[in-house]
Amino acid sequence: MADIILFTKSDDLKALFEEILPSERNSLLLTSDAEECMKKLYSQNIDGIILDYEAEENLSALARKIRVAGKKKQPFLLLYAPVDYENELLFRYIDGFLPKNSAKSQTTALLHSALRLNRSLNELTKNNTELAKNIYQLDVLYNTSSGFASTLNKKKLIDLMIQSVQRSISPTFMSVYVKETNTLFLSSNRKPTFRLEEALKLRAMLNFKVVYQDEEINIETLKIEKNYKEEYSEMDLQLFNYDNIFSLITLSDKNYGYIEVFKEADFSQEDLTCLQSILKQVSSPLENAILYQEIKDTNTKLERLERLKSDFISIVSHELRTPLTPIKNSLDIILKGLAGDVSDAAKKFVDMAKRNADRLSDIINDLLDLSKVEAGKMEFKFEKQSVIPVLEYVKNTFEPTAKRKNIDLSLEIKNDIPELYIDSKRLEQVVSNLVSNAIKFTPENGKIQVSCENVSCKDLLNVDFYEQTLNENYENYVKISVKDSGIGIKKEDIPKIFDKFQQIENSLSREVGGTGLGLPIAKQLTQAHQGVIWLESEPDKGANFQVAIPIMDEFQIFKTDLDRTLCNSKQFKKNLSLILLKEKETENIKSAIQNEKLSIVKNGENSNGVFLNDDNTSIYLSFIQDADEHAADFIIKKIQSFVKLNVPENEQNDIIYSKVTYPKDGLTYATLSENLEKGLKCIKE
Amino acid sequence: MGKKVLVVDDEKDIVETIKFVLEAQGYECLCAYDGEAGLKKAKDKMPDLILLDVMMPNINGFKISRLLKFDAKYKNIPIIMLTARSQKEDKIIGEETGADIYMTKPFEIEELVSNVKKLCPLED
């Protein structure tokens, strides 16, 4: 089917073409008036125009007008003229030539081929336009996805989504509902009228009800945020006559809201696909943004909790100890006779009061120790040292007490005991606890053996440690045992023995007193030494409490300390500390440090490291997140001692150690490098 | 010549027991129940020893100690600090602000008397 204009005055020509183009399949429009021809061109979809060379004086002018007027579809322009016809200007505008006096069959063929060509061309143009549009939409999607990936802010993500939808499918009106904030975002060129807003609110409520069947939105508190360009041009209820697409904004486990777009002209299939792609793209970033918010909130809560813990310990410590002072002092005053004579009866009871005040004091101290250790607030002072003096000190301290019950207290060192990495005061506390318990629960004339032995990790593998785990990274342990010949403990009571306030129900424990916290404290302190504590016992066969502390090499000590310091330093204000290390050492240091805590990187690989070249000395800088000055100093010392033992002496002097504290308001990468270079120069001078 | 000891603590009971014990030993005792009053009394009366509680409202013991020790007129007065806190930081701060002796509550009377006699013997 073709619509063709035949521009001619000749009836013969008319007849010719009526024959060539049968009327059932084509429509042939005849005219000899230029204006009428143009009008037809504008009002109808014309496939082609045949110009008769004789039809008019200024054919080229008409031809030019036709060319310029071409809209989406260009009609073909053919000239019917004799073979030797000359008109250069006209020839510029025409697509083909129908020679006069050629055979009818030839003319027909020419005409049909022109039609086919024209159709193909128009098809091609249409496809190109589609393609261009698709490419544009893809481009929008691409930019959108990078935009989405760059932010964790929910509001920004929604804004970006609205913008991309606007750019890619150009809706006349857009409404986005966000469930979390119960807000309806309206975006359009024209300003929505008040009643359109109310209608859209109602529509939101209904949409929501249809989609999320068991939930409702509160239309009273539904907020509207609108964004429009033209203040004085309004959009009213006619919006609901427009073509629209409705789509949900879903996250993996819940619904975030919906989006509805309206367009006066129809949306195409590509528009729908594009919209769906955008929504799919925004889903993950939105979820991440929500999670990020949750994490930030949780972190804030955790920080507050940490501070409360510290404050609690301080406050309780003060509040509980304060009244104890005048209690004890008053009782002392009375006992010493400073407040007058004291009868024997009075003395007995004042003594009792004093004993219990001391007991209370012990409980408070134990409770506070336990709280501190559990809260990670206890300060340790670790050093590589021999454990034997500790054991000797404890034995000597308890000897008098043991003697009073005629208990034989002995100390045996079974084999070669290397130095351990311990806090001697705290280890002393552990052993004292065990010995003191042993004395309490061993009847007169009994025996207590304290011994110390170097054992291998394998020897300990078949021991039941209940909730503790033996760290098998350490090959050897030093085992300290406190074995008594006392009343023993029932098998079923053994698991509870290290729990707080679990004094075993028996007559003896009532008499001996104690706080019930000694063993839990011993357990915490042992664990702080990376060790384990356990018990072997049978009723009436005594008890054998054992503590195993690992023997660590330099490497392991370094690792343990680093872990501990970095964990502790998180409680302090957040700063970044930088440490300069020399190239060769980084391989060793690298393997000594766990990945997530410290990273040593080359220039550019990630923003946490900088690589400087100065006089052929390569220097790696490593950043420690959330560390403070104390951590930096500590780590430098540790690295220094490690290097001293492991690096050949002649190379040791090449190493520069320094620390720089990164200010809280941050520096850009460029400024940072600048500052570091300055710092480096100062060190060398 | 009698020795004057100034006791500064917001717990009246503690002040009373310390006063009782020291007077029994032969010292003259002055009392103050808050930091401001304590500081004023220290400056007015020039005691031979000050027993100072750390945790007090308004102005705490560390501050008072620092103020006195950095003032030429009062820096020679020995100070014993008392506290219920036993955190390591407090001990360090205590030493840094010039306390001569640092005691944790609750303390034994013997310990108090022995420390007082050490810093401020009755006979010179």
Side-chain angles (χ1 to χ4, degrees):
Chain A
M1 249 307 282
D3 291 322
I4 298 180
I5 296 178
L6 177 61
F7 192 77
T8 183
K9 292 194 174 103
S10 152
D11 284 328
D12 290 333
L13 213 59
K14 244 195 283 190
L16 170 64
F17 280 103
E18 268 168 359
E19 232 186 290
I20 294 178
L21 298 166
S23 54
E24 326 85 64
R25 285 170 53 229
N26 306 295
S27 98
L28 191 63
L29 302 142
L30 298 158
T31 180
S32 57
D33 177 39
E35 255 192 65
E36 199 187 333
C37 176
M38 294 309 293
K39 219 170 41 184
K40 282 215 166 88
L41 185 62
Y42 281 129
S43 60
Q44 285 173 268
N45 239 351
I46 302 294
D47 293 303
I49 301 175
I50 304 169
L51 296 173
D52 179 8
Y53 77 115
E54 282 175 324
E56 219 199 59
E57 277 292 328
N58 201 354
L59 223 58
S60 43
L62 175 60
R64 188 172 158 277
K65 256 203 223 156
I66 293 170
R67 270 285 165 267
V68 165
K71 298 185 288 184
K72 277 196 218 159
K73 262 174 78 170
Q74 274 278 345
F76 67 71
L77 197 54
L78 295 176
L79 177 67
Y80 178 82
V83 169
D84 52 0
Y85 181 72
E86 290 271 355
N87 187 339
E88 218 181 294
L89 193 59
L90 180 58
F91 287 173
R92 271 195 228 155
Y93 298 114
I94 60 172
D95 291 316
F97 200 83
L98 292 171
K100 186 174 177 179
N101 295 329
S102 46
K104 193 168 85 177
S105 56
Q106 279 183 343
T107 311
T108 315
L110 273 165
L111 195 55
H112 284 142
S113 84
L115 267 164
R116 269 203 306 279
L117 205 63
N118 185 263
R119 275 206 190 99
S120 303
L121 267 167
N122 285 323
E123 194 71 36
L124 200 66
T125 312
K126 186 169 121 206
N127 287 345
N128 272 355
T129 317
E130 287 283 326
L131 198 65
K133 187 166 171 220
N134 283 346
I135 290 175
Y136 177 70
Q137 283 185 344
L138 274 169
D139 187 57
V140 170
L141 280 173
Y142 173 73
N143 287 326
T144 308
S145 87
S146 10
F148 283 155
S150 71
T151 177
L152 279 170
N153 181 321
K154 284 176 286 188
K155 181 88 187 16
K156 273 209 195 116
L157 286 171
I158 295 295
D159 285 341
L160 261 171
M161 182 189 78
I162 291 176
Q163 275 172 41
S164 332
V165 169
Q166 195 65 49
R167 277 183 10 235
S168 60
I169 66 180
S170 311
T172 317
F173 196 96
M174 182 172 10
S175 97
V176 176
Y177 175 70
V178 171
K179 190 168 141 206
E180 200 182 26
T181 53
N182 202 17
T183 312
L184 195 58
F185 295 91
L186 305 179
S187 175
S188 61
N189 270 343
R190 293 189 268 162
K191 179 179 173 178
T193 57
F194 177 71
R195 64 179 191 170
L196 179 62
E197 279 186 32
E198 294 299 298
L200 285 168
K201 275 193 191 171
L202 206 60
R203 191 183 175 89
M205 193 176 90
L206 293 169
N207 279 341
F208 200 84
K209 211 171 177 137
V210 162
V211 171
Y212 311 118
Q213 276 120 11
D214 48 354
E215 290 178 66
E216 259 186 28
I217 58 179
N218 187 341
I219 202 172
E220 318 242 324
T221 59
L222 177 63
K223 295 177 288 263
I224 290 197
E225 262 184 53
K226 37 182 195 280
N227 179 357
Y228 53 87
K229 290 210 185 93
E230 295 157 20
E231 178 81 37
Y232 300 107
S233 171
E234 287 191 328
M235 172 72 78
D236 198 21
L237 301 176
Q238 74 267 31
L239 181 68
F240 298 121
N241 286 330
Y242 295 175
D243 190 19
N244 73 330
I245 307 179
F246 173 89
S247 192
L248 294 174
I249 304 171
T250 47
L251 308 176
S252 64
D253 62 343
K254 57 181 176 210
N255 295 306
Y256 195 74
Y258 72 75
I259 177 171
E260 202 167 10
V261 286
F262 299 84
K263 199 169 189 172
E264 209 173 334
D266 287 343
F267 285 115
S268 67
Q269 183 59 42
E270 288 80 27
D271 289 338
L272 178 60
T273 316
C274 192
L275 180 64
Q276 286 170 339
S277 304
I278 293 176
L279 288 174
K280 242 187 262 175
Q281 277 186 341
V282 82
S283 174
S284 284
L286 255 179
E287 257 193 280
N288 285 347
I290 290 172
L291 259 154
Y292 177 69
Q293 187 70 50
E294 278 177 25
I295 290 175
K296 272 210 297 193
D297 292 340
T298 308
N299 268 357
T300 317
K301 282 198 203 130
L302 282 171
E303 274 174 17
R304 230 179 321 137
L305 203 64
E306 280 297 307
R307 259 182 291 127
L308 278 172
K309 266 200 237 175
S310 293
D311 292 344
F312 176 74
I313 291 171
S314 284
I315 292 170
V316 165
S317 158
H318 179 262
E319 293 304 317
L320 287 178
R321 288 180 171 145
T322 301
L324 265 180
T325 311
I327 290 174
K328 285 177 72 165
N329 292 344
S330 302
L331 294 172
D332 258 340
I333 287 172
I334 294 172
L335 276 178
K336 288 186 159 60
L338 294 172
D341 286 332
V342 189
S343 69
D344 282 339
K347 188 166 186 288
K348 180 164 141 198
F349 290 104
V350 173
D351 243 332
M352 187 191 300
K354 186 160 189 274
R355 249 186 300 126
N356 281 283
D358 283 337
R359 191 168 154 198
L360 196 58
S361 195
D362 286 343
I363 292 179
I364 293 171
N365 287 335
D366 279 354
L367 201 55
L368 281 163
D369 270 353
L370 194 59
S371 303
K372 265 199 264 177
V373 162
E374 278 182 352
K377 306 269 176 225
M378 177 164 278
E379 286 146 13
F380 290 93
K381 202 170 174 237
F382 282 90
E383 260 174 62
K384 197 167 182 202
Q385 54 193 302
S386 170
V387 73
I388 296 170
V390 173
L391 298 175
E392 286 174 344
Y393 178 79
V394 174
K395 176 187 178 256
N396 293 336
T397 309
F398 282 94
E399 203 135 46
T401 322
K403 234 189 190 130
R404 271 189 286 226
K405 281 173 92 170
N406 203 22
I407 294 174
D408 174 25
L409 178 61
S410 64
L411 172 60
E412 187 190 347
I413 313 295
K414 290 201 178 155
N415 51 18
D416 191 27
I417 311 290
E419 289 190 326
L420 294 176
Y421 197 57
I422 55 173
D423 176 330
S424 56
K425 269 201 91 70
R426 296 297 170 190
L427 197 61
E428 185 197 300
Q429 199 172 347
V430 172
V431 182
S432 297
N433 250 314
L434 298 179
V435 171
S436 144
N437 275 352
I439 293 176
K440 282 192 192 127
F441 291 96
T442 302
E444 301 211 346
N445 307 315
K447 193 167 180 219
I448 299 176
Q449 291 165 298
V450 179
S451 63
C452 185
E453 192 181 352
N454 183 346
V455 299
S456 81
C457 184
K458 283 191 235 88
D459 294 337
L460 301 172
L461 285 176
N462 52 3
V463 176
D464 187 355
F465 297 109
Y466 301 112
E467 301 114 49
Q468 302 166 67
T469 26
L470 182 70
N471 191 334
E472 292 176 36
N473 288 328
Y474 303 112
E475 271 182 44
N476 292 300
Y477 281 76
V478 166
K479 187 172 80 160
I480 300 168
S481 324
V482 176
K483 187 167 179 198
D484 66 56
S485 62
I487 58 174
I489 296 164
K490 277 185 267 184
K491 195 154 195 240
E492 57 261 28
D493 290 333
I494 293 182
K496 294 184 282 172
I497 197 138
F498 296 104
D499 292 342
K500 289 182 265 219
F501 300 118
Q502 284 293 331
Q503 276 182 324
I504 310 303
E505 282 299 311
N506 61 40
S507 52
L508 195 54
S509 74
R510 287 257 161 263
E511 280 175 39
V512 301
T515 59
L517 291 171
L519 288 175
I521 291 175
K523 178 175 163 193
Q524 292 286 2
L525 293 177
T526 307
Q527 288 181 327
H529 283 81
Q530 317 298 314
V532 280
I533 183 169
W534 72 103
L535 163 68
E536 283 158 13
S537 177
E538 269 175 70
D540 294 323
K541 297 225 181 113
N544 187 3
F545 279 89
Q546 300 175 78
V547 169
I549 308 285
I551 300 170
M552 297 193 218
D553 60 33
E554 284 293 323
F555 213 79
Q556 290 164 326
I557 290 176
F558 179 55
K559 231 168 121 170
T560 313
D561 277 346
L562 193 62
D563 272 350
R564 192 183 296 124
T565 308
L566 286 173
C567 284
N568 285 344
S569 69
K570 281 210 167 108
Q571 299 164 18
F572 301 118
K573 284 177 281 171
K574 291 177 197 171
N575 284 315
L576 268 179
S577 294
L578 310 174
I579 296 177
L580 298 171
L581 301 171
K582 193 189 173 227
E583 184 181 16
K584 275 209 196 107
E585 274 54 64
T586 52
E587 279 313 310
N588 282 339
I589 306 293
K590 235 195 236 178
S591 55
I593 294 166
Q594 284 166 348
N595 283 334
E596 74 237 50
K597 296 209 170 67
L598 193 65
S599 60
I600 301 173
V601 294
K602 290 190 189 156
N603 193 18
E605 263 173 25
N606 78 47
S607 60
N608 280 354
V610 175
F611 174 73
L612 294 179
N613 248 318
D614 195 312
D615 298 339
N616 296 321
T617 311
S618 307
I619 301 170
Y620 283 141
L621 303 176
S622 55
F623 287 52
I624 303 177
Q625 298 273 9
D626 300 340
D628 68 334
E629 287 226 334
H630 304 295
D633 280 336
F634 169 81
I635 290 166
I636 288 180
K637 274 207 191 75
K638 283 294 168 187
I639 294 174
Q640 278 172 329
S641 54
F642 181 87
V643 161
K644 215 168 168 185
L645 294 168
N646 295 293
V647 175
E649 223 177 323
N650 54 351
E651 290 177 19
Q652 282 181 19
N653 293 326
D654 291 343
I655 299 174
I656 303 164
Y657 298 96
S658 173
K659 66 170 165 60
V660 175
T661 311
Y662 193 75
K664 262 184 282 187
D665 56 8
L667 291 173
T668 62
Y669 181 79
T671 332
L672 188 62
S673 305
E674 217 177 83
N675 284 355
L676 287 169
E677 286 186 311
K678 277 195 221 142
L680 187 61
K681 288 205 187 86
C682 293
I683 297 158
K684 290 210 165 163
E685 283 153 24
Chain B
M1 200 170 79
K3 297 287 183 170
K4 274 185 293 200
V5 176
L6 171 63
V7 183
V8 188
D9 195 316
D10 60 337
E11 290 278 330
K12 293 212 170 84
D13 287 341
I14 292 183
V15 175
E16 192 171 333
T17 50
I18 295 177
K19 182 165 183 258
F20 188 87
V21 167
L22 292 181
E23 280 179 348
Q25 290 291 327
Y27 291 92
E28 185 191 334
C29 259
L30 303 164
C31 309
Y33 303 105
D34 74 75
E36 301 274 357
L39 193 58
K40 189 166 184 297
K41 237 177 200 160
K43 291 185 172 171
D44 289 342
K45 307 282 185 175
M46 295 290 283
D48 300 295
L49 173 67
I50 303 177
L51 282 165
L52 195 48
D53 181 30
V54 169
M55 293 292 283
M56 284 189 289
N58 295 325
I59 175 169
N60 74 20
F62 293 139
K63 272 206 196 119
I64 297 175
S65 171
R66 232 199 326 260
L67 283 168
L68 292 172
K69 288 296 182 183
F70 285 120
D71 189 331
K73 223 169 135 194
Y74 310 107
K75 72 175 184 192
N76 291 316
I77 305 176
I79 293 179
I80 297 179
M81 268 204 209
L82 309 168
T83 186
R85 284 153 64 122
S86 60
Q87 305 279 55
K88 202 162 75 172
E89 299 97 58
D90 291 345
K91 285 218 171 77
I92 297 171
I93 298 173
E95 283 156 16
E96 278 176 10
T97 52
D100 298 89
I101 294 182
Y102 201 82
M103 283 174 60
T104 50
K105 299 177 186 172
F107 45 78
E108 299 292 330
I109 292 191
E110 284 98 2
E111 197 188 339
L112 175 70
V113 171
S114 125
N115 283 334
V116 168
K117 283 191 175 161
K118 203 191 299 184
L119 290 178
C120 176
L122 280 166
E123 295 91 31
D124 288 307

